[in-house]
């Protein structure tokens, strides 16, 4: 929390009676209290008397930030009614969602649990994928059918968990509570292992001679270019370091300069069609919407397609019925 705590010094220089300070950064439980006490020491002013501190975690998702900033419900954590009042006046100026008032520690834990819940969901979705393929069933069909139950919502599987929140925030809880969080700890570890398991699967089918592998997608989620904690990027890096693989990578959302540290051939929009035709393996790591149109117009016969996202399940089945030549491997191959 060094970045958050370091803000207390410059704030203290300008802090005046009646001021409100709001922390939105995701932080471990108790950080707001520590920040407030530090601010009291540095400023000489008294919290909840001279100034007020509120914790209001952000609830936005890349790609829909402005919409969610306005429409999402917000949690305001404070230790004094005046803190709630001042914070609510600020957020009511632009937020149309409900404002929920709790103490700061509750608000901090709520934010961590929101992202922990998603981490667990991702781990479960990927385990469902493995269970279905172990039974020789189509994971995509299994998940879609199960989700027709009104109280079941299994996520789409993928290569792991990424982003600046879901991959990181649960660790704030497990680090603080060493003897609790058995389920959460297991899910965190399973998500961490996922990229390596996909790499190992690919290597099982790589021959002694160099094999051309094309990775589709490097971002941590579909239809954005964010690479933070991306499992797809981790997989690409591991493959690029293997001497048996001639790696190419394509992601229409990611700037080429952002992946210069990966030893691979970065494909652009003009050459992606020919790259698909001339490759042995296609590894679909991110379900970008544009990939569906791209791959629907190319004959995928005689390609080994590893698709932990289940993105091309229906498309590949249609092409297989026509050609009967598509190769498959398990557990992550469609």
């Amino acid at each position: 929390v060094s970045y958050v705590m370091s803000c207390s010094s410059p704030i203290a220089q300008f802090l005046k009676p009646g001021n409100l300070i709001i922390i939105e950064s995701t932080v471990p439980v108790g950080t707001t209290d520590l920040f407030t006490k530090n601010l009291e020491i540095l400023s000489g002013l008294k919290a909840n008397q001279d100034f007020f501190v509120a914790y209001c975690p952000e609830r936005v998702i890349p790609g829909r930030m402005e919409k969610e900033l306005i429409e999402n419900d917000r949690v305001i954590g404070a230790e004094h009614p005046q803190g709630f009042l001042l914070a609510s006046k600020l957020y009511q100026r632009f937020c149309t969602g409900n404002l929920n008032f709790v103490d700061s520690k509750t608000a901090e834990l709520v934010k961590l649990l929101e992202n922990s819940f998603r981490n667990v969901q991702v781990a479960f979705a990927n385990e469902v994928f493995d269970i279905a393929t172990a039974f020789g069933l189509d994971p995509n069909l299994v998940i879609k059918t199960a989700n027709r139950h009104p109280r079941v919502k299994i996520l789409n599987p993928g290569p792991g968990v990424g982003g600046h929140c879901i991959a990181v925030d649960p660790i704030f809880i497990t680090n603080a509570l060493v003897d609790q969080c058995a389920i959460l700890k297991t899910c965190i570890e399973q998500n961490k292992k996922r990229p390596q398991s996909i790499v190992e699967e690919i290597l099982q089918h790589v021959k002694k001679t160099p094999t051309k592998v094309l990775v589709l997608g490097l971002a941590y989620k579909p239809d954005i270019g964010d690479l933070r904690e991306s499992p797809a990027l981790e997989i690409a890096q591991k493959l690029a370091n293997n001497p048996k693989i001639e790696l190419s990578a394509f992601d229409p959302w990611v700037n080429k300069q952002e992946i210069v540290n990966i030893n691979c051939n970065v494909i652009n929009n003009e050459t992606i069609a020919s790259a698909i035709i001339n490759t042995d393996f296609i590894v679909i790591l991110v379900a970008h919407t544009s990939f569906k149109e791209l791959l629907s117009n190319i004959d995928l016969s005689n390609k080994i397609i590893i698709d932990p996202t289940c993105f091309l399940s229906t498309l590949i089945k249609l092409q297989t019925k026509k050609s009967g030549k598509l190769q498959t491997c398990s557990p992550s191959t469609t």
Side-chain angles (χ1 to χ4, degrees), residues 206-224:
V206 172
K207 301 177 181 179
K208 293 182 179 180
T209 56
T211 302
K212 293 181 179 179
V213 176
L214 172 63
V215 167
L216 296 180
L218 294 170
Y220 86 82
K221 63 177 292 183
D223 298 337
I224 64 170

Side-chain angles (χ1 to χ4, degrees), residues 12-224:
Q13 298 176 36
F14 299 95
L15 192 62
K16 297 178 181 180
N19 282 169
L20 168 72
I21 299 93
I22 295 178
I23 300 174
E24 286 204 358
S25 299
T26 304
V27 294
V29 175
T31 301
T32 302
D33 283 350
L34 292 174
F35 180 88
T36 302
K37 291 174 182 177
N38 198 39
L39 200 54
E40 283 183 317
I41 295 171
L42 293 171
S43 68
L45 300 177
K46 185 68 175 176
N48 300 323
Q49 179 178 310
D50 299 320
F51 68 93
F52 304 91
V53 179
Y55 179 70
C56 184
E58 53 81 17
R59 277 178 172 171
V60 296
I61 188 171
R64 296 204 305 267
M65 297 183 74
E66 184 175 345
K67 176 180 174 63
E68 297 205 346
L69 184 68
I70 296 171
E71 297 181 2
N72 286 354
D73 290 355
R74 300 300 293 265
V75 177
I76 297 177
E79 306 304 321
H80 191 279
Q82 185 67 9
F84 290 127
L85 178 62
L86 294 174
S88 63
K89 285 183 177 180
L90 173 64
Y91 286 101
Q92 285 172 348
R93 296 183 64 170
F94 62 88
C95 180
T96 61
N98 295 321
L99 302 179
N100 302 283
F101 302 104
V102 295
D103 60 276
S104 60
K105 287 185 179 179
T106 297
E108 290 167 338
L109 181 57
V110 164
K111 173 59 177 178
L112 297 179
L113 290 177
E114 290 169 357
N115 290 330
S116 298
F117 176 71
R118 299 288 288 174
N119 192 291
V120 172
Q121 282 186 311
V122 170
F124 182 71
N126 290 336
E127 188 161 290
V128 170
F129 181 100
D130 291 341
I131 291 170
T133 53
F135 279 116
L137 302 174
D138 179 358
N140 190 48
L141 179 61
V142 169
I143 291 172
K144 284 186 175 181
T145 306
N147 284 347
R148 295 183 68 84
H149 188 288
R151 290 174 295 281
V152 174
K153 184 59 179 176
I154 303 171
L155 300 182
N156 295 326
V161 64
H164 63 296
C165 289
I166 299 175
V168 177
D169 296 351
I171 302 173
F172 291 171
I173 299 176
T174 58
N175 282 353
L177 303 174
V178 178
D179 297 325
Q180 289 84 17
C181 315
I183 293 174
L184 185 54
K185 289 177 181 177
T186 299
C187 292
I188 291 171
E189 288 304 311
Q190 288 301 106
N191 285 327
K192 286 182 179 179
K193 293 177 183 178
R194 193 70 178 177
Q196 180 60 33
S197 67
I198 293 174
V199 171
E200 291 173 357
E201 178 190 346
I202 295 170
L203 295 181
Q204 289 176 2
H205 300 273
V206 172
K207 301 177 181 179
K208 293 182 179 180
T209 56
T211 302
K212 293 181 179 179
V213 176
L214 172 63
V215 167
L216 296 180
L218 294 170
Y220 86 82
K221 63 177 292 183
D223 298 337
I224 64 170

